[in-house]
């Protein structure tokens, strides 16, 4: 998708939305946040992104809803590219926005491409080209088959920060050491040391675990690892159609609940009226095929 929007040959469909910096996003908000009688606003763009009515209504509470839908869309959709954004702005008849911002958008994309080029590794000959490139993913967990023929599989990957480890232990007791007999992937317990954290995390979430439980807390919101794990899992199931991700709140929070997870059904351990049902509901959700 390129030349029809800007006077360059940039392939905007191949550039993720994260390439757009704060200046462009701020100007987009100035165009789309105000309610217009004759022009589409942020709600039309949110609908084009695939957000449902109740989700869009929820975004109305924010001072900058355009900022929120852009961040949540890029965190939950594999189609969140600059090209797709331009396509949707055209579809909602806001070509005026594209026209006014085409310079800054193109500049951000060029910076992104330049950075990607600089970060490419130096090409060196392979020592043994017959070794499978996925060999590093063999033997990554305690009970893994080193040969890779029978990789260890789990019912759920547990996304947590280290300050919430006590609740993780309680989860192990309630879900693994009872009649539930579920198998949880707890990174600090099950993953062998000495391998790339991000590569292994992606492998486990996408290929080894049926679902992911996210333990939400104030500390979770400050964790880069939890942020990566959550956004990666959401990108695998846009709109939560496969019920892959289950948020769990186990203690009161001072900070706002993460907006990126607001559209998912919460398993709330802090509600005294439903605490007795908590482990049964969670176990049932994790045992589904």
């Amino acid at each position: 998708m390129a030349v029809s929007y800007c006077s360059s040959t940039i392939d905007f469909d191949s550039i993720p939305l994260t390439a757009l910096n704060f200046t462009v996003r701020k100007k987009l908000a100035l165009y789309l946040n105000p309610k217009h009688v004759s022009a589409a606003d942020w709600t039309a763009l949110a609908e084009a992104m695939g957000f449902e009515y109740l989700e869009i209504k929820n975004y109305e509470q924010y001072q900058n809803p355009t900022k929120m839908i852009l961040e949540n869309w890029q965190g939950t959709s594999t189609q969140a590219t600059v090209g797709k954004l331009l396509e949707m702005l055209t579809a909602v008849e806001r070509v005026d926005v594209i026209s006014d911002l085409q310079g800054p958008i193109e500049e951000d994309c060029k910076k992104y491409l330049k950075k990607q080029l600089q970060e490419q590794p130096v090409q060196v000959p392979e020592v043994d080209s017959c070794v499978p490139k996925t060999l590093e993913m063999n033997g990554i967990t305690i009970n893994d088959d080193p040969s890779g023929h029978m990789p260890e599989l789990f019912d759920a990957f547990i996304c947590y920060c280290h300050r919430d480890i006590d609740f993780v232990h309680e989860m192990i007791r309630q879900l693994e050491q009872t009649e539930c007999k579920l198998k949880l992937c707890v990174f600090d317990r099950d993953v062998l040391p000495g391998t790339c954290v991000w590569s292994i995390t992606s492998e486990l979430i996408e290929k080894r675990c049926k679902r992911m439980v996210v333990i939400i807390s104030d500390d979770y919101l400050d964790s880069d690892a939890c942020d990566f794990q959550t956004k990666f899992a959401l990108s695998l199931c846009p709109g939560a159609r496969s019920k892959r991700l289950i948020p769990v709140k186990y203690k009161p929070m001072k900070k706002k609940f993460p907006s990126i997870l607001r559209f998912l059904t919460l398993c709330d351990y802090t509600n005294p009226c439903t605490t007795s049902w908590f482990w049964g509901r969670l176990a049932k959700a994790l045992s589904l095929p």
Side-chain angles (χ1 to χ4, degrees):
M1 157 152 331
V3 291
S4 58
Y5 291 115
C6 301
S7 56
S8 75
T9 56
I10 296 175
D11 180 12
F12 294 105
D13 284 327
S14 67
I15 300 177
L17 196 67
T18 50
L20 297 185
N21 219 322
F22 283 98
T23 300
V24 169
R25 292 168 186 258
K26 185 176 180 181
K27 290 181 178 178
L28 277 170
L30 291 175
Y31 278 105
L32 299 174
N33 281 346
K35 293 284 186 179
H36 292 286
V37 176
S38 57
D41 57 22
W42 68 271
T43 58
L45 182 61
E47 191 171 340
M49 288 175 174
F51 291 106
E52 298 179 354
Y53 172 75
L54 291 178
E55 296 175 75
I56 296 173
K57 288 292 291 182
N58 180 61
Y59 287 126
E60 289 181 343
Q61 67 179 300
Y62 295 101
Q63 186 176 1
N64 189 347
T66 300
K67 172 179 176 290
M68 296 304 300
I69 64 171
L70 288 173
E71 289 183 355
N72 288 352
W73 183 54
Q74 75 184 25
T76 59
S77 175
T78 55
Q79 295 185 335
T81 65
V82 175
K84 190 64 177 178
L85 175 64
L86 297 176
E87 180 183 314
M88 290 188 294
L89 286 171
T90 302
V92 299
E93 300 182 350
R94 292 307 304 264
V95 181
D96 59 311
V97 178
I98 299 174
S99 178
D100 288 349
L101 296 182
Q102 66 178 23
I105 289 175
E106 184 175 349
E107 188 63 29
D108 280 353
C109 291
K110 287 180 178 178
K111 289 179 180 177
Y112 171 82
L113 292 173
K114 183 178 179 180
K115 185 177 180 181
Q116 291 295 107
L117 189 62
Q118 291 173 342
E119 291 179 351
Q120 284 184 357
V122 177
Q123 297 297 314
V124 294
E126 291 186 359
V127 176
D128 185 356
S129 60
C130 66
V131 177
K133 294 184 178 180
T134 57
L135 190 60
E136 63 185 48
M137 290 298 110
N138 297 340
I140 61 176
T141 61
I142 290 289
N143 296 315
D144 230 349
D145 175 11
S147 67
H149 297 302
M150 294 184 65
E152 187 175 13
L153 303 178
F154 303 86
D155 291 300
F157 182 92
I158 309 301
C159 172
Y160 64 97
C161 68
H162 289 99
R163 290 188 179 181
D164 297 323
I165 192 66
D166 288 342
F167 186 73
V168 175
H169 282 287
E170 178 65 17
M171 186 173 286
I172 291 171
R173 285 191 291 270
Q174 295 288 343
L175 300 178
E176 285 192 339
Q177 299 171 4
T178 62
E179 65 274 8
C180 297
K181 300 296 182 183
L182 291 168
K183 189 171 183 179
L184 308 179
C185 181
V186 179
F187 200 93
D188 293 295
R189 179 192 67 174
D190 297 310
V191 176
L192 297 175
T195 43
C196 176
V197 172
W198 307 115
S199 298
I200 287 186
T201 300
S202 303
E203 167 81 8
L204 290 169
I205 294 173
E206 182 177 7
K207 299 179 181 178
R208 305 284 195 93
C209 301
K210 291 194 296 181
R211 286 175 175 75
M212 185 168 94
V213 175
V214 184
I215 300 178
I216 309 296
S217 67
D218 289 333
D219 296 308
Y220 159 89
L221 296 172
D222 296 326
S223 169
D224 291 335
C226 290
D227 183 66
F228 168 80
Q229 292 166 11
T230 303
K231 289 179 178 177
F232 181 78
L234 283 171
S235 72
L236 299 175
C237 56
R241 285 187 292 272
S242 64
K243 300 179 182 178
R244 191 183 187 108
L245 194 148
I246 302 170
V248 167
K249 179 182 175 184
Y250 83 98
K251 63 182 179 180
M253 297 175 61
K254 294 180 180 179
K255 300 178 182 178
K256 280 189 175 181
F257 191 85
S259 58
I260 199 172
L261 298 175
R262 285 183 182 273
F263 67 95
L264 292 173
T265 306
L266 176 68
C267 214
D268 191 354
Y269 194 67
T270 66
N271 186 346
C273 298
T274 60
T275 302
S276 60
W277 303 327
F278 177 85
W279 294 112
R281 290 179 66 224
L282 183 56
K284 182 65 175 179
L286 295 180
S287 61
L288 293 173

